[in-house]
Amino acid sequence: MLKQRILTALVLLAVLLPALFYPSFVPLAVLTLVLIAAGCWEWGRLNGLAQGPALSLGALGALLCAASWQAGWILAAPPWLWTLAGAAWVVLGGWLLARGVGRWQQVARGLRLLGGLLALWLAWLAMARARALGINFLLSLLCLVWAADIFAYFAGRTFGRRKLAPAISPGKSWEGVFGGMAGVLVLALLWAWADAHWQAASPSFYSLLAARGLLWWLPALLFLAVMSVVGDLVESLVKRSVGAKDSSALLPGHGGVLDRIDALLPTLPLALMITEFAQA
């Protein structure tokens, strides 16, 4: 299993890293569009669709991404879009977690499918928009989510006593959440310092926040760290409601696409929303 995980990770890095660092955002946008289409297929399967309809949902997700690309939204998405997406994640994410695993199937399947489709599309559009703003900007957002996850894991393993959501994800603890938040703050401090010290060609998310002062920097980072946990918990809730361990087996040793991007689904659109407000 370990060899399989390593091999899959190496293949993904070999494909994604050249696309990420390519001078244009186009290769990364194309590759991630394919991944989002796969995520839409997984979402359909998790919500009871047969293979054919689930593939159609994947195609619809790809079409939605392509249509927004054609409309020029990667370079200039409507600012209200990120505000609407952010509000939806805060309100609906909290509502779903409060209702618990047993209530997920009571939501009309059409609404479940539509919600997942829109969440995946918005995450793709936010990722492409972030890459268009600069490699440094996108990397800082990706590393924020990874830092929150890594620090939460080790803090939870070391200090975890109080369960966060035992019915949804028994391994998560409040101590892990606080550890993840602390990790994000440390990362942001170091990244903003490195931007200034080496005079980064393009700003990171952290530098943009730092320019607005501590009253922007601190709550924004803590908020995004918390919302990355919400994204993870929402996907865990959906999987647990149907008894699935992984969203699929598309990535050997790693589960499915949704398993790898769940924390990014709320974080990327919310980061773009915060950026729009910070630059206003």
Side-chain angles (χ1 to χ4, degrees), residues 207-222:
S207 296
L208 289 175
L209 289 181
R212 293 301 301 266
L214 187 64
L215 290 179
W216 271 87
W217 184 85
L218 185 61
L221 292 174
L222 295 178

Side-chain angles (χ1 to χ4, degrees), residues 23-171:
S24 166
F25 68 83
V26 172
L28 185 65
V30 171
L31 281 174
T32 51
L33 188 152
V34 174
L35 290 175
I36 288 299
C40 289
W41 168 77
E42 291 176 351
W43 185 256
R45 295 293 287 166
L46 285 174
N47 285 280
L49 292 186
Q51 185 73 289
L55 287 172
S56 298
L57 189 69
L60 183 58
L63 182 62
L64 194 56
C65 293
S68 57
W69 190 347
Q70 179 63 31
W73 284 13
I74 291 179
L75 297 178
W80 56 262
L81 184 65
W82 308 124
T83 303
L84 185 61
W89 262 110
V90 171
V91 174
L92 295 179
W95 179 72
L96 287 173
L97 296 180
R99 285 168 61 89
V101 174
R103 307 290 290 276
W104 172 249
Q105 297 293 339
Q106 296 177 11
V107 179
R109 186 163 67 174
L111 290 177
R112 285 184 271 137
L113 293 172
L114 178 61
L117 177 68
L118 292 177
L120 285 160
W121 162 61
L122 285 166
W124 175 84
L125 185 58
M127 183 284 309
R129 175 64 184 146
R131 174 58 186 83
L133 290 172
I135 296 171
N136 192 23
F137 186 83
L138 175 58
L139 267 179
S140 65
L141 293 180
L142 296 178
C143 287
L144 183 153
V145 172
W146 297 334
D149 186 51
I150 292 169
F151 277 81
Y153 174 79
F154 286 106
R157 285 287 299 270
T158 306
F159 306 108
R161 296 293 183 272
R162 295 171 295 169
K163 297 299 184 182
L164 175 64
I168 298 174
S169 185

Side-chain angles (χ1 to χ4, degrees), residues 101 163-173 229 232-233 236-237 240:
V101 174
K163 297 299 184 182
L164 175 64
I168 298 174
S169 185
K172 285 187 170 51
S173 66
V229 178
D232 191 325
L233 287 175
S236 295
L237 180 150
R240 190 165 288 272

